Protein backbone atom coordinates (compact mmCIF):
# COMPACT_ATOMS: atom_id res chain seq x y z
CA UNK A 1 0.00 0.00 0.00
CA UNK A 2 1.00 3.61 -0.48
CA UNK A 3 3.65 4.87 1.86
CA UNK A 4 4.18 1.57 3.67
CA UNK A 5 7.44 -0.25 4.21
CA UNK A 6 8.26 -3.29 6.26
CA UNK A 7 8.38 -3.11 10.04
CA UNK A 8 12.04 -1.99 9.77
CA UNK A 9 12.91 -3.65 13.04
CA UNK A 10 11.03 -1.21 15.25
CA UNK A 11 10.68 -2.51 18.78
CA UNK A 12 7.37 -2.12 20.62
CA UNK A 13 7.03 0.17 23.59
CA UNK A 14 8.87 -1.67 26.32
CA UNK A 15 9.60 0.84 29.06
CA UNK A 16 7.85 3.84 30.51
CA UNK A 17 9.50 6.67 32.32
CA UNK A 18 7.96 7.06 35.73
CA UNK A 19 6.18 10.36 36.18
CA UNK A 20 5.23 11.73 39.54
CA UNK A 21 1.85 13.41 39.37
CA UNK A 22 0.41 15.96 41.72
CA UNK A 23 -2.97 17.61 41.86
CA UNK A 24 -3.62 20.41 39.39
CA UNK A 25 -4.24 22.86 42.19
CA UNK A 26 -5.24 23.19 45.81
CA UNK A 27 -8.77 23.84 46.84
CA UNK A 28 -9.31 27.41 48.03
CA UNK A 29 -10.70 28.29 51.43
CA UNK A 30 -14.49 28.28 51.40
CA UNK A 31 -17.07 30.12 53.45
CA UNK A 32 -19.90 27.88 54.53
CA UNK A 33 -23.52 28.89 54.55
CA UNK A 34 -26.90 27.65 55.61
CA UNK A 35 -29.48 26.30 53.21
CA UNK A 36 -31.09 28.86 50.92
CA UNK A 37 -34.61 30.07 51.58
CA UNK A 38 -36.95 32.03 49.39
CA UNK A 39 -35.43 35.26 48.14
CA UNK A 40 -36.84 38.27 46.38
CA UNK A 41 -36.11 41.91 45.82
CA UNK A 42 -35.62 42.49 49.57
CA UNK A 43 -32.70 40.04 49.62
CA UNK A 44 -31.16 41.79 46.66
CA UNK A 45 -31.34 45.19 48.36
CA UNK A 46 -29.90 43.88 51.60
CA UNK A 47 -27.05 42.22 49.72
CA UNK A 48 -26.39 45.36 47.74
CA UNK A 49 -26.08 47.34 50.93
CA UNK A 50 -23.10 45.21 51.86
CA UNK A 51 -21.21 46.45 48.83
CA UNK A 52 -19.63 49.85 49.38
CA UNK A 53 -19.68 51.86 46.18
CA UNK A 54 -16.20 52.13 44.76
CA UNK A 55 -14.96 55.42 43.37
CA UNK A 56 -11.80 56.94 42.05
CA UNK A 57 -9.93 53.85 40.83
CA UNK A 58 -8.02 54.56 37.65
CA UNK A 59 -7.67 51.30 35.75
CA UNK A 60 -4.99 52.79 33.54
CA UNK A 61 -2.79 53.81 36.46
CA UNK A 62 0.02 51.33 35.88
CA UNK A 63 1.15 51.64 39.47
CA UNK A 64 -2.11 50.03 40.54
CA UNK A 65 -2.02 47.15 38.08
CA UNK A 66 -0.24 44.01 39.20
CA UNK A 67 1.54 42.49 36.24
CA UNK A 68 1.92 38.95 37.46
CA UNK A 69 4.08 38.07 34.49
CA UNK A 70 7.10 39.46 36.30
CA UNK A 71 7.07 36.50 38.68
CA UNK A 72 9.20 33.75 37.19
CA UNK A 73 8.87 31.40 40.16
CA UNK A 74 7.86 27.93 38.97
CA UNK A 75 7.15 26.61 42.41
CA UNK A 76 3.92 28.34 43.42
CA UNK A 77 2.69 26.64 46.58
CA UNK A 78 -0.75 28.18 45.96
CA UNK A 79 -1.62 28.16 42.23
CA UNK A 80 -2.63 31.39 40.57
CA UNK A 81 -6.32 32.19 40.91
CA UNK A 82 -6.95 30.31 44.15
CA UNK A 83 -6.38 33.33 46.39
CA UNK A 84 -8.76 35.30 44.16
CA UNK A 85 -11.56 32.78 44.64
CA UNK A 86 -11.46 30.92 41.33
CA UNK A 87 -9.99 27.63 40.19
CA UNK A 88 -6.25 27.21 39.84
CA UNK A 89 -4.84 28.81 36.70
CA UNK A 90 -1.25 27.62 37.01
CA UNK A 91 0.33 24.19 37.08
CA UNK A 92 1.48 22.84 40.43
CA UNK A 93 3.06 19.62 39.18
CA UNK A 94 6.61 20.87 39.61
CA UNK A 95 8.52 20.34 42.81
CA UNK A 96 11.41 22.47 43.98
CA UNK A 97 13.81 19.76 42.82
CA UNK A 98 12.40 19.49 39.27
CA UNK A 99 15.11 20.68 36.88
CA UNK A 100 14.15 23.18 34.18
CA UNK A 101 14.75 22.13 30.61
CA UNK A 102 16.92 24.28 28.37
CA UNK A 103 14.28 25.03 25.75
CA UNK A 104 15.54 26.52 22.51
CA UNK A 105 13.64 29.15 20.57
CA UNK A 106 13.06 26.61 17.81
CA UNK A 107 11.43 24.17 20.24
CA UNK A 108 9.18 26.85 21.73
CA UNK A 109 8.23 28.24 18.33
CA UNK A 110 7.20 24.78 17.15
CA UNK A 111 4.72 24.49 20.04
CA UNK A 112 2.49 27.28 18.72
CA UNK A 113 -0.48 25.83 16.87
CA UNK A 114 -1.45 26.43 13.25
CA UNK A 115 -5.26 26.09 13.28
CA UNK A 116 -6.37 26.17 16.92
CA UNK A 117 -7.49 29.52 18.25
CA UNK A 118 -5.10 31.29 20.58
CA UNK A 119 -4.37 35.00 21.04
CA UNK A 120 -1.40 36.67 19.40
CA UNK A 121 0.36 36.78 22.75
CA UNK A 122 -0.17 36.47 26.51
CA UNK A 123 -2.52 34.38 28.62
CA UNK A 124 -5.99 33.05 27.72
CA UNK A 125 -8.42 30.80 29.59
CA UNK A 126 -12.21 30.25 29.49
CA UNK A 127 -14.23 30.74 26.29
CA UNK A 128 -16.99 33.28 26.92
CA UNK A 129 -20.22 34.35 25.23
CA UNK A 130 -19.84 32.67 21.82
CA UNK A 131 -22.52 33.70 19.33
CA UNK A 132 -23.35 34.16 15.64
CA UNK A 133 -24.32 37.67 14.56
CA UNK A 134 -24.82 39.18 11.12
CA UNK A 135 -22.57 36.74 9.28
CA UNK A 136 -19.83 36.54 11.89
CA UNK A 137 -19.05 34.04 14.60
CA UNK A 138 -17.88 35.78 17.76
CA UNK A 139 -15.60 34.29 20.40
CA UNK A 140 -14.86 36.12 23.61
CA UNK A 141 -12.32 34.73 26.04
CA UNK A 142 -10.63 35.36 29.37
CA UNK A 143 -7.48 37.28 28.57
CA UNK A 144 -4.51 38.86 30.32
CA UNK A 145 -3.33 41.70 28.08
CA UNK A 146 -0.07 42.09 29.97
CA UNK A 147 1.50 38.67 30.47
CA UNK A 148 1.53 34.96 29.65
CA UNK A 149 0.25 34.01 33.12
CA UNK A 150 -3.21 34.41 34.66
CA UNK A 151 -4.19 37.83 36.06
CA UNK A 152 -5.64 41.23 35.03
CA UNK A 153 -8.51 39.39 33.34
CA UNK A 154 -10.46 41.15 30.59
CA UNK A 155 -12.50 39.83 27.65
CA UNK A 156 -10.55 39.21 24.47
CA UNK A 157 -12.54 39.16 21.25
CA UNK A 158 -12.20 37.56 17.81
CA UNK A 159 -14.47 36.93 14.83
CA UNK A 160 -14.63 34.38 12.04
CA UNK A 161 -16.81 33.59 9.05
CA UNK A 162 -16.37 29.83 9.50
CA UNK A 163 -15.23 29.05 13.11
CA UNK A 164 -11.72 28.28 11.79
CA UNK A 165 -10.16 31.38 10.24
CA UNK A 166 -10.18 33.88 13.11
CA UNK A 167 -9.46 37.61 13.17
CA UNK A 168 -8.42 39.36 16.37
CA UNK A 169 -10.42 42.39 17.52
CA UNK A 170 -9.81 44.86 20.36
CA UNK A 171 -10.75 43.77 23.85
CA UNK A 172 -14.49 43.81 24.41
CA UNK A 173 -14.94 44.12 28.19
CA UNK A 174 -12.18 45.54 30.38
CA UNK A 175 -11.96 45.67 34.18
CA UNK A 176 -12.50 49.38 34.74
CA UNK A 177 -15.37 49.68 37.25
CA UNK A 178 -15.64 48.93 40.96
CA UNK A 179 -17.83 45.91 40.20
CA UNK A 180 -15.20 44.24 37.96
CA UNK A 181 -11.95 46.02 38.82
CA UNK A 182 -10.38 42.79 40.04
CA UNK A 183 -11.48 40.81 37.00
CA UNK A 184 -14.09 40.65 34.24
CA UNK A 185 -14.69 36.92 34.51
CA UNK A 186 -16.68 34.35 32.57
CA UNK A 187 -20.19 34.79 31.21
CA UNK A 188 -22.63 34.07 28.43
CA UNK A 189 -24.59 35.76 25.66
CA UNK A 190 -28.33 35.63 25.16
CA UNK A 191 -29.88 36.62 21.82
CA UNK A 192 -33.24 38.34 22.23
CA UNK A 193 -36.06 38.63 19.67
CA UNK A 194 -35.45 41.58 17.40
CA UNK A 195 -31.69 41.16 17.29
CA UNK A 196 -30.78 42.49 20.74
CA UNK A 197 -27.87 40.88 22.58
CA UNK A 198 -27.31 40.81 26.33
CA UNK A 199 -24.13 39.63 27.97
CA UNK A 200 -24.04 38.56 31.61
CA UNK A 201 -20.62 38.12 33.18
CA UNK A 202 -19.07 37.70 36.60
CA UNK A 203 -17.20 40.65 38.01
CA UNK A 204 -14.78 40.49 40.92
CA UNK A 205 -15.33 43.66 42.91
CA UNK A 206 -12.94 45.98 44.70
CA UNK A 207 -13.96 44.17 47.90
CA UNK A 208 -13.26 40.74 46.36
CA UNK A 209 -16.88 39.68 45.96
CA UNK A 210 -18.18 37.81 42.92
CA UNK A 211 -21.17 39.58 41.34
CA UNK A 212 -23.06 39.32 38.05
CA UNK A 213 -23.00 42.21 35.63
CA UNK A 214 -24.89 43.18 32.49
CA UNK A 215 -23.32 44.47 29.28
CA UNK A 216 -24.73 45.01 25.80
CA UNK A 217 -23.50 46.21 22.40
CA UNK A 218 -23.33 49.95 21.90
CA UNK A 219 -24.60 49.30 18.38
CA UNK A 220 -26.33 45.97 17.76
CA UNK A 221 -26.33 46.71 14.01
CA UNK A 222 -22.53 46.50 13.99
CA UNK A 223 -21.60 43.04 12.65
CA UNK A 224 -18.32 43.14 14.58
CA UNK A 225 -19.84 44.23 17.91
CA UNK A 226 -16.77 46.33 18.59
CA UNK A 227 -18.08 48.47 21.44
CA UNK A 228 -19.81 47.28 24.60
CA UNK A 229 -21.68 49.25 27.26
CA UNK A 230 -21.89 48.21 30.89
CA UNK A 231 -25.20 48.75 32.63
CA UNK A 232 -24.83 51.81 34.84
CA UNK A 233 -26.41 50.17 37.89
CA UNK A 234 -24.35 46.98 37.86
CA UNK A 235 -24.21 44.54 39.53
CA UNK A 236 -27.57 42.99 38.71
CA UNK A 237 -27.04 39.92 40.93
CA UNK A 238 -25.05 39.54 44.14
CA UNK A 239 -24.39 36.48 46.35
CA UNK A 240 -27.57 35.67 48.28
CA UNK A 241 -27.49 34.86 52.00
CA UNK A 242 -25.93 31.47 52.62
CA UNK A 243 -23.66 31.65 49.57
CA UNK A 244 -20.03 32.64 50.05
CA UNK A 245 -18.74 35.78 48.32
CA UNK A 246 -16.37 33.63 46.23
CA UNK A 247 -18.90 30.90 45.40
CA UNK A 248 -21.11 32.72 42.92
CA UNK A 249 -20.05 32.84 39.29
CA UNK A 250 -20.39 32.15 35.55
CA UNK A 251 -24.01 32.81 34.44
CA UNK A 252 -25.36 30.73 31.54
CA UNK A 253 -27.23 31.70 28.43
CA UNK A 254 -30.86 32.38 29.40
CA UNK A 255 -33.84 30.47 28.05
CA UNK A 256 -37.41 31.71 27.57
CA UNK A 257 -40.20 29.81 29.31
CA UNK A 258 -44.00 29.51 29.17
CA UNK A 259 -44.21 31.95 32.10
CA UNK A 260 -42.90 34.65 29.71
CA UNK A 261 -39.75 34.99 31.77
CA UNK A 262 -36.10 34.38 30.99
CA UNK A 263 -34.38 31.80 33.18
CA UNK A 264 -30.66 31.26 33.75
CA UNK A 265 -28.46 29.32 36.11
CA UNK A 266 -25.00 29.81 37.58
CA UNK A 267 -22.52 27.83 39.64
CA UNK A 268 -22.20 27.72 43.42
CA UNK A 269 -21.75 25.40 46.41
CA UNK A 270 -23.05 24.69 49.91
CA UNK A 271 -20.65 22.89 52.22
CA UNK A 272 -19.13 20.28 49.86
CA UNK A 273 -22.14 20.09 47.53
CA UNK A 274 -21.88 21.55 44.05
CA UNK A 275 -25.05 23.20 42.79
CA UNK A 276 -26.62 25.49 40.23
CA UNK A 277 -28.74 28.44 41.33
CA UNK A 278 -31.71 29.54 39.21
CA UNK A 279 -32.71 33.13 38.50
CA UNK A 280 -35.63 34.55 36.53
CA UNK A 281 -36.00 37.91 34.84
CA UNK A 282 -38.15 39.78 32.36
CA UNK A 283 -35.71 42.59 31.58
CA UNK A 284 -32.21 41.27 32.49
CA UNK A 285 -31.98 44.01 35.12
CA UNK A 286 -34.23 42.73 37.90
CA UNK A 287 -33.92 39.09 39.00
CA UNK A 288 -35.77 36.67 41.25
CA UNK A 289 -33.93 33.77 42.87
CA UNK A 290 -35.82 30.47 42.77
CA UNK A 291 -36.37 28.61 46.02
CA UNK A 292 -35.18 25.41 44.29
CA UNK A 293 -31.76 24.63 42.91
CA UNK A 294 -31.67 23.46 39.34
CA UNK A 295 -29.60 20.56 40.70
CA UNK A 296 -27.24 19.74 43.57
CA UNK A 297 -24.75 16.86 43.96
CA UNK A 298 -23.13 16.20 47.35
CA UNK A 299 -19.37 15.82 47.44
CA UNK A 300 -18.63 17.53 44.13
CA UNK A 301 -17.42 20.87 45.49
CA UNK A 302 -17.76 24.23 43.78
CA UNK A 303 -19.38 24.22 40.34
CA UNK A 304 -18.19 26.81 37.84
CA UNK A 305 -18.82 27.43 34.14
CA UNK A 306 -22.17 25.64 34.33
CA UNK A 307 -23.76 24.90 30.95
CA UNK A 308 -27.39 23.86 30.42
CA UNK A 309 -29.01 23.13 27.07
CA UNK A 310 -31.51 20.87 25.27
CA UNK A 311 -30.70 18.02 22.89
CA UNK A 312 -33.02 16.19 20.52
CA UNK A 313 -33.28 12.44 21.16
CA UNK A 314 -34.38 11.77 17.58
CA UNK A 315 -32.93 14.49 15.40
CA UNK A 316 -29.55 15.26 13.91
CA UNK A 317 -29.54 19.01 14.50
CA UNK A 318 -28.97 21.20 17.52
CA UNK A 319 -31.69 22.96 19.46
CA UNK A 320 -32.15 26.55 20.54
CA UNK A 321 -31.50 26.95 24.26
CA UNK A 322 -35.21 27.66 24.88
CA UNK A 323 -36.41 24.45 23.17
CA UNK A 324 -38.36 21.96 25.27
CA UNK A 325 -41.12 19.37 24.96
CA UNK A 326 -41.50 15.78 23.74
CA UNK A 327 -38.35 14.27 22.27
CA UNK A 328 -36.08 16.65 24.18
CA UNK A 329 -33.56 15.87 26.91
CA UNK A 330 -31.44 18.41 28.76
CA UNK A 331 -27.69 18.34 29.34
CA UNK A 332 -26.30 19.76 32.57
CA UNK A 333 -22.56 20.30 32.65
CA UNK A 334 -20.36 21.67 35.42
CA UNK A 335 -16.65 22.40 35.67
CA UNK A 336 -15.52 21.08 39.04
CA UNK A 337 -13.28 23.50 40.87
CA UNK A 338 -11.82 20.78 43.10
CA UNK A 339 -10.68 18.49 40.28
CA UNK A 340 -10.45 20.86 37.27
CA UNK A 341 -12.58 18.45 35.21
CA UNK A 342 -15.73 18.98 33.10
CA UNK A 343 -18.58 16.56 33.87
CA UNK A 344 -21.97 16.26 32.20
CA UNK A 345 -25.15 14.25 32.53
CA UNK A 346 -28.28 13.86 30.43
CA UNK A 347 -31.65 14.15 32.12
CA UNK A 348 -35.09 15.72 32.35
CA UNK A 349 -35.85 19.39 32.95
CA UNK A 350 -39.05 20.08 34.88
CA UNK A 351 -40.08 23.48 33.67
CA UNK A 352 -42.86 23.90 36.24
CA UNK A 353 -40.36 24.33 39.07
CA UNK A 354 -37.07 24.71 37.16
CA UNK A 355 -35.40 21.57 38.46
CA UNK A 356 -33.49 18.86 36.61
CA UNK A 357 -32.79 15.21 37.42
CA UNK A 358 -30.36 12.84 35.65
CA UNK A 359 -31.66 9.83 33.74
CA UNK A 360 -29.16 7.66 35.62
CA UNK A 361 -28.21 8.74 39.17
CA UNK A 362 -24.98 6.74 38.84
CA UNK A 363 -24.00 9.06 35.98
CA UNK A 364 -24.86 12.30 37.76
CA UNK A 365 -22.86 15.50 37.27
CA UNK A 366 -19.44 15.15 38.84
CA UNK A 367 -19.54 11.38 39.31
CA UNK A 368 -20.28 10.08 35.81
CA UNK A 369 -19.31 11.10 32.30
CA UNK A 370 -16.80 13.75 31.29
CA UNK A 371 -16.83 15.90 28.17
CA UNK A 372 -13.13 15.30 27.68
CA UNK A 373 -10.80 12.96 29.55
CA UNK A 374 -7.64 14.93 28.91
CA UNK A 375 -6.40 18.48 29.38
CA UNK A 376 -9.72 20.32 29.12
CA UNK A 377 -11.77 22.69 31.27
CA UNK A 378 -14.33 25.52 31.49
CA UNK A 379 -16.20 24.56 28.34
CA UNK A 380 -18.98 26.69 26.89
CA UNK A 381 -21.55 25.88 24.21
CA UNK A 382 -23.87 28.02 22.09
CA UNK A 383 -26.67 27.43 19.61
CA UNK A 384 -25.57 28.31 16.10
CA UNK A 385 -28.78 29.46 14.45
CA UNK A 386 -26.88 29.82 11.18
CA UNK A 387 -26.49 26.04 10.79
CA UNK A 388 -28.91 24.72 13.42
CA UNK A 389 -26.25 23.10 15.58
CA UNK A 390 -24.97 23.14 19.13
CA UNK A 391 -21.28 24.14 19.13
CA UNK A 392 -18.96 23.50 22.06
CA UNK A 393 -15.72 25.25 23.01
CA UNK A 394 -13.19 24.19 25.65
CA UNK A 395 -10.11 25.75 27.23
CA UNK A 396 -6.84 23.79 26.90
CA UNK A 397 -4.21 24.95 29.39
CA UNK A 398 -0.49 24.39 29.08
CA UNK A 399 1.26 21.43 30.72
CA UNK A 400 4.71 23.00 30.84
CA UNK A 401 6.22 25.48 33.27
CA UNK A 402 5.38 29.15 33.68
CA UNK A 403 9.01 29.99 32.89
CA UNK A 404 8.59 28.37 29.47
CA UNK A 405 5.27 30.14 28.90
CA UNK A 406 6.74 33.54 29.78
CA UNK A 407 9.70 32.86 27.50
CA UNK A 408 7.51 31.98 24.52
CA UNK A 409 5.11 34.82 25.36
CA UNK A 410 1.80 32.96 25.30
CA UNK A 411 -0.19 30.32 27.13
CA UNK A 412 -3.33 28.28 26.42
CA UNK A 413 -5.55 27.66 23.44
CA UNK A 414 -9.10 26.63 22.59
CA UNK A 415 -10.20 23.30 21.18
CA UNK A 416 -11.44 23.07 17.64
CA UNK A 417 -15.15 23.89 17.99
CA UNK A 418 -17.19 20.69 18.29
CA UNK A 419 -20.76 19.91 17.35
CA UNK A 420 -22.76 18.20 20.10
CA UNK A 421 -25.53 15.64 19.55
CA UNK A 422 -27.38 13.10 21.66
CA UNK A 423 -26.09 9.56 21.14
CA UNK A 424 -29.26 7.71 20.09
CA UNK A 425 -27.47 4.35 20.19
CA UNK A 426 -26.38 4.43 23.83
CA UNK A 427 -28.93 6.85 25.21
CA UNK A 428 -26.39 7.96 27.82
CA UNK A 429 -23.65 9.74 25.89
CA UNK A 430 -23.12 12.89 23.92
CA UNK A 431 -21.36 12.75 20.57
CA UNK A 432 -18.75 15.45 20.02
CA UNK A 433 -17.22 15.98 16.59
CA UNK A 434 -15.05 18.68 15.02
CA UNK A 435 -17.13 21.21 13.09
CA UNK A 436 -17.31 20.42 9.39
CA UNK A 437 -15.45 23.62 8.52
CA UNK A 438 -12.16 22.06 9.67
CA UNK A 439 -12.24 20.09 6.43
CA UNK A 440 -11.58 23.33 4.53
CA UNK A 441 -7.97 23.04 5.74
CA UNK A 442 -7.40 19.63 4.18
CA UNK A 443 -4.60 19.43 1.65
CA UNK A 444 -3.04 16.23 0.29
CA UNK A 445 -4.15 12.86 1.66
CA UNK A 446 -2.91 9.29 2.03
CA UNK A 447 -5.14 6.25 2.30
CA UNK A 448 -4.21 2.84 3.70
CA UNK A 449 -6.46 -0.22 3.67
CA UNK A 450 -6.30 -3.25 5.97
CA UNK A 451 -2.69 -2.86 7.05
CA UNK A 452 -1.61 -5.86 9.11
CA UNK A 453 0.06 -4.98 12.40
CA UNK A 454 1.33 -8.06 14.22
CA UNK A 455 1.81 -8.36 17.99
CA UNK A 456 4.81 -6.42 19.23
CA UNK A 457 5.40 -4.41 16.06
CA UNK A 458 5.45 -0.78 14.98
CA UNK A 459 4.68 0.15 11.37
CA UNK A 460 5.72 3.54 9.95
CA UNK A 461 3.23 5.50 7.87
CA UNK A 462 5.17 7.45 5.28
CA UNK A 463 2.95 10.50 4.80
CA UNK A 464 5.47 13.32 4.87
CA UNK A 465 5.13 16.05 7.51
CA UNK A 466 3.25 14.79 10.58
CA UNK A 467 2.71 17.98 12.57
CA UNK A 468 -0.67 19.14 11.17
CA UNK A 469 -2.94 16.16 10.48
CA UNK A 470 -6.53 14.99 10.33
CA UNK A 471 -6.53 11.19 10.84
CA UNK A 472 -9.51 8.85 10.50
CA UNK A 473 -8.86 5.19 11.34
CA UNK A 474 -10.71 1.90 11.81
CA UNK A 475 -9.35 -1.26 13.42
CA UNK A 476 -10.33 -4.90 13.05
CA UNK A 477 -9.14 -7.61 15.42
CA UNK A 478 -7.91 -11.08 14.46
CA UNK A 479 -7.64 -13.44 17.44
CA UNK A 480 -4.53 -15.62 17.54
CA UNK A 481 -4.65 -19.03 19.17
CA UNK A 482 -7.46 -20.26 21.41
CA UNK A 483 -10.76 -18.41 21.60
CA UNK A 484 -10.73 -19.08 25.33
CA UNK A 485 -8.10 -16.44 26.07
CA UNK A 486 -9.11 -14.31 29.01
CA UNK A 487 -7.80 -10.77 29.41
CA UNK A 488 -8.87 -9.12 32.62
CA UNK A 489 -6.61 -6.07 32.28
CA UNK A 490 -8.96 -3.08 32.22
CA UNK A 491 -8.44 0.60 31.67
CA UNK A 492 -5.38 2.36 30.30
CA UNK A 493 -2.91 0.68 32.63
CA UNK A 494 0.37 2.46 33.21
CA UNK A 495 0.39 3.42 29.54
CA UNK A 496 1.08 1.87 26.15
CA UNK A 497 4.04 -0.11 27.50
CA UNK A 498 1.79 -2.38 29.56
CA UNK A 499 1.08 -5.36 27.35
CA UNK A 500 -1.99 -7.57 27.60
CA UNK A 501 -3.74 -10.09 25.38
CA UNK A 502 -5.96 -7.55 23.60
CA UNK A 503 -4.05 -4.32 23.76
CA UNK A 504 -2.85 -1.71 23.58
CA UNK A 505 -2.94 -0.90 19.85
CA UNK A 506 -3.42 2.26 17.84
CA UNK A 507 -1.26 5.06 16.46
CA UNK A 508 1.89 6.87 17.59
CA UNK A 509 1.62 10.61 16.91
CA UNK A 510 4.37 13.23 17.12
CA UNK A 511 7.02 10.51 17.23
CA UNK A 512 10.59 10.51 15.93
CA UNK A 513 12.29 7.68 14.01
CA UNK A 514 14.12 6.47 17.11
CA UNK A 515 10.84 6.35 19.10
CA UNK A 516 12.56 8.24 21.88
CA UNK A 517 9.62 10.65 21.86
CA UNK A 518 6.10 9.56 20.96
CA UNK A 519 2.46 9.91 21.99
CA UNK A 520 0.41 6.67 21.73
CA UNK A 521 -3.34 6.97 21.11
CA UNK A 522 -4.78 3.54 21.67
CA UNK A 523 -7.51 1.05 22.48
CA UNK A 524 -7.28 -1.69 25.08
CA UNK A 525 -9.91 -4.45 25.27
CA UNK A 526 -10.80 -6.65 28.22
CA UNK A 527 -13.09 -9.62 28.65
CA UNK A 528 -14.23 -12.38 30.94
CA UNK A 529 -14.23 -16.02 29.81
CA UNK A 530 -15.37 -19.46 30.88
CA UNK A 531 -12.46 -21.36 29.38
CA UNK A 532 -14.15 -22.18 26.07
CA UNK A 533 -15.34 -18.81 24.84
CA UNK A 534 -14.75 -15.15 25.52
CA UNK A 535 -17.03 -12.13 25.61
CA UNK A 536 -15.62 -8.64 25.23
CA UNK A 537 -16.99 -6.64 28.11
CA UNK A 538 -15.23 -3.32 27.90
CA UNK A 539 -13.06 -1.17 25.68
CA UNK A 540 -10.82 1.60 26.94
CA UNK A 541 -9.64 4.54 24.84
CA UNK A 542 -6.44 6.22 26.02
CA UNK A 543 -3.65 8.70 25.31
CA UNK A 544 -0.24 8.16 26.88
CA UNK A 545 1.92 11.28 27.28
CA UNK A 546 4.60 9.70 29.43
CA UNK A 547 7.14 9.53 26.58
CA UNK A 548 5.92 12.56 24.62
CA UNK A 549 8.90 14.68 25.68
CA UNK A 550 12.36 14.29 27.17
CA UNK A 551 11.89 17.52 29.09
CA UNK A 552 11.45 16.95 32.84
CA UNK A 553 9.51 20.17 33.53
CA UNK A 554 6.41 18.99 31.65
CA UNK A 555 3.37 17.21 33.05
CA UNK A 556 3.06 13.84 31.27
CA UNK A 557 0.02 11.76 32.11
CA UNK A 558 -1.98 8.78 30.89
CA UNK A 559 -5.50 9.90 30.03
CA UNK A 560 -8.47 7.74 29.12
CA UNK A 561 -11.77 6.08 29.88
CA UNK A 562 -14.00 3.24 28.85
CA UNK A 563 -15.88 3.85 25.61
CA UNK A 564 -19.08 2.02 24.58
CA UNK A 565 -18.61 -0.08 21.43
CA UNK A 566 -21.81 -1.61 20.09
CA UNK A 567 -22.04 -4.97 18.34
CA UNK A 568 -22.43 -3.51 14.85
CA UNK A 569 -19.50 -1.10 15.22
CA UNK A 570 -15.83 -1.30 14.33
CA UNK A 571 -13.27 0.33 16.57
CA UNK A 572 -12.80 3.81 15.14
CA UNK A 573 -11.03 7.03 15.98
CA UNK A 574 -10.35 10.47 14.62
CA UNK A 575 -7.29 12.46 15.63
CA UNK A 576 -6.47 16.11 14.99
CA UNK A 577 -2.75 16.84 15.37
CA UNK A 578 -1.69 20.46 15.57
CA UNK A 579 1.85 20.83 16.93
CA UNK A 580 1.55 20.77 20.74
CA UNK A 581 -2.11 19.71 20.92
CA UNK A 582 -3.67 16.38 19.97
CA UNK A 583 -7.46 15.99 20.01
CA UNK A 584 -8.65 12.38 19.83
CA UNK A 585 -12.23 11.18 19.24
CA UNK A 586 -13.29 7.54 19.70
CA UNK A 587 -16.45 5.88 18.35
CA UNK A 588 -17.85 8.95 16.65
CA UNK A 589 -17.04 11.19 19.60
CA UNK A 590 -18.46 9.20 22.53
CA UNK A 591 -15.13 9.56 24.30
CA UNK A 592 -12.78 12.48 23.65
CA UNK A 593 -9.27 13.17 24.92
CA UNK A 594 -7.29 16.41 24.48
CA UNK A 595 -3.60 16.31 25.29
CA UNK A 596 -0.65 18.69 25.20
CA UNK A 597 2.77 17.47 24.11
CA UNK A 598 6.11 19.29 24.16
CA UNK A 599 8.70 17.18 22.30
CA UNK A 600 12.31 18.22 22.11
CA UNK A 601 13.26 16.03 19.12
CA UNK A 602 10.05 14.99 17.32
CA UNK A 603 9.46 18.45 15.89
CA UNK A 604 9.38 20.03 12.44
CA UNK A 605 10.55 17.52 9.81
CA UNK A 606 11.48 14.93 12.45
CA UNK A 607 7.84 14.35 13.48
CA UNK A 608 6.50 11.00 12.25
CA UNK A 609 3.34 8.88 12.42
CA UNK A 610 3.22 5.13 13.16
CA UNK A 611 0.81 2.28 13.77
CA UNK A 612 1.57 0.01 16.70
CA UNK A 613 0.27 -3.19 18.26
CA UNK A 614 1.57 -3.96 21.73
CA UNK A 615 -0.98 -6.72 22.37
CA UNK A 616 0.19 -10.30 22.74
CA UNK A 617 -2.67 -12.36 21.30
CA UNK A 618 -4.21 -10.43 18.39
CA UNK A 619 -3.34 -9.15 14.96
CA UNK A 620 -4.69 -5.75 13.99
CA UNK A 621 -5.92 -4.70 10.56
CA UNK A 622 -5.95 -0.93 10.25
CA UNK A 623 -7.55 1.22 7.57
CA UNK A 624 -6.76 4.92 7.59
CA UNK A 625 -7.23 8.12 5.67
CA UNK A 626 -4.87 10.92 6.62
CA UNK A 627 -4.94 14.53 5.46
CA UNK A 628 -2.27 17.17 5.78
CA UNK A 629 -3.89 20.32 7.17
CA UNK A 630 -3.17 23.90 6.22
CA UNK A 631 -2.74 26.75 8.66
CA UNK A 632 -5.80 28.86 9.52
CA UNK A 633 -3.64 32.03 9.35
CA UNK A 634 -5.24 33.59 12.42
CA UNK A 635 -4.36 37.30 12.45
CA UNK A 636 -5.59 40.79 13.40
CA UNK A 637 -8.72 42.07 11.71
CA UNK A 638 -7.75 44.03 8.54
CA UNK A 639 -9.58 47.26 9.33
CA UNK A 640 -7.62 49.03 6.63
CA UNK A 641 -9.07 46.78 3.90
CA UNK A 642 -12.30 47.58 2.09
CA UNK A 643 -15.08 45.40 3.48
Amino acid sequence: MEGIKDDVGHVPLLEAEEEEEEEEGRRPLRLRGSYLGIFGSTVFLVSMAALIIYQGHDYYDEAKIENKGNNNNNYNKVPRGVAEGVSAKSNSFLSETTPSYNWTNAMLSWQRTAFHFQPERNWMNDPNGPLFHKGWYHLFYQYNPFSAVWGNITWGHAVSRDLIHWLYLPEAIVRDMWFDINGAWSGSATLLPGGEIVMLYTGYTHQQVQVQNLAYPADASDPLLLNWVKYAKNPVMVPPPGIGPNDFRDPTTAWFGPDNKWTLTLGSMLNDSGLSLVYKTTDFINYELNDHFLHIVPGTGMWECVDFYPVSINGSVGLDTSANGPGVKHVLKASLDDTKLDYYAIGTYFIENDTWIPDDPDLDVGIGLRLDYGKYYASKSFYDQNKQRRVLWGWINESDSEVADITKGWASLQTIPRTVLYDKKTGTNLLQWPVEEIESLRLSSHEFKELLVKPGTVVPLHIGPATQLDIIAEFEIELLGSEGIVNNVEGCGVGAVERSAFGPFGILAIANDQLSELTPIYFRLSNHGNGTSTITTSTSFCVDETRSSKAPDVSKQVFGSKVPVLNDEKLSLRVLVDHSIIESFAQGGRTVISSRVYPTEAIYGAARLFLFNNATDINIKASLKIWQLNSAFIRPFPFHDTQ
Side-chain angles (χ1 to χ4, degrees), residues 102-112 579 599-600 603-604:
N102 185 25
W103 295 97
T104 67
N105 288 336
M107 294 174 187
L108 296 176
S109 296
W110 179 91
Q111 293 174 14
R112 189 167 178 89
H579 294 256
T600 62
I603 57 178
Y604 300 105

Side-chain angles (χ1 to χ4, degrees), residues 69 116 179 217 283 320 386 432 458 461 501 512 603 632:
H116 282 75
F179 49 77
D283 57 9
D320 179 85
N386 182 45
Q432 303 172 62
V458 175
L461 298 171
N512 60 358
I603 57 178

